[in-house]
Amino acid sequence: RLNSFGRGVYFSKHASKAMHFCDGFGRIVLCKVALGNIRSETERDYERESVPAGSHSLLVTGRELPAQAPATEDGAPRVSRAFAEEFVVFDPAQILPLYVLAFDWEI
């Protein structure tokens, strides 16, 4: 489900994270984002519309999620790839789009 940490605009330092949302179009927008005072957040809140007082953005730390594949031969659970950290802002004035990067890629 999208917007796990609120109704903001999500950013990542990693182009590979953005590519998951390209839907085959091969375009991402490179932005400069004024993050200000960053609050680290792990609690999901799909309805969040702003950051707490004193903060200007959220940092959703990278995490590993259980893989859908069965456990390994020795019974250990498989772990999917780590998810890159994301930054979330709720005020569009914090975003300065710089470039649209167009590229060809295959999954």
Side-chain angles (χ1 to χ4, degrees):
R1 182 170 173 187
L2 296 176
N3 301 328
S4 297
F5 293 88
R7 298 177 180 178
V9 183
Y10 289 67
F11 296 91
S12 177
K13 297 186 281 188
H14 307 282
S16 59
K17 177 69 177 180
M19 289 171 61
H20 288 286
F21 300 95
C22 287
D23 291 332
F25 291 110
R27 288 177 177 52
I28 57 177
V29 180
L30 181 65
C31 299
K32 185 176 262 190
V33 182
L35 297 172
N37 294 329
I38 303 169
R39 176 186 173 94
S40 184
E41 186 61 72
T42 57
E43 185 81 21
R44 292 177 187 225
D45 180 353
Y46 297 97
E47 304 301 320
R48 181 183 289 125
E49 294 184 358
S50 64
V51 291
S55 299
H56 302 101
S57 61
L58 298 178
L59 167 63
V60 179
T61 57
R63 57 211 183 275
E64 291 185 337
L65 298 177
Q68 299 301 315
T72 61
E73 290 179 15
D74 63 356
R78 293 190 189 269
V79 176
S80 68
R81 67 185 183 276
F83 285 79
E85 65 186 9
E86 297 175 88
F87 297 92
V88 186
V89 298
F90 296 86
D91 181 354
Q94 293 174 248
I95 306 164
L96 177 62
L98 299 174
Y99 304 99
V100 175
L101 304 175
F103 53 90
D104 293 325
W105 66 296
E106 294 181 24
I107 296 177

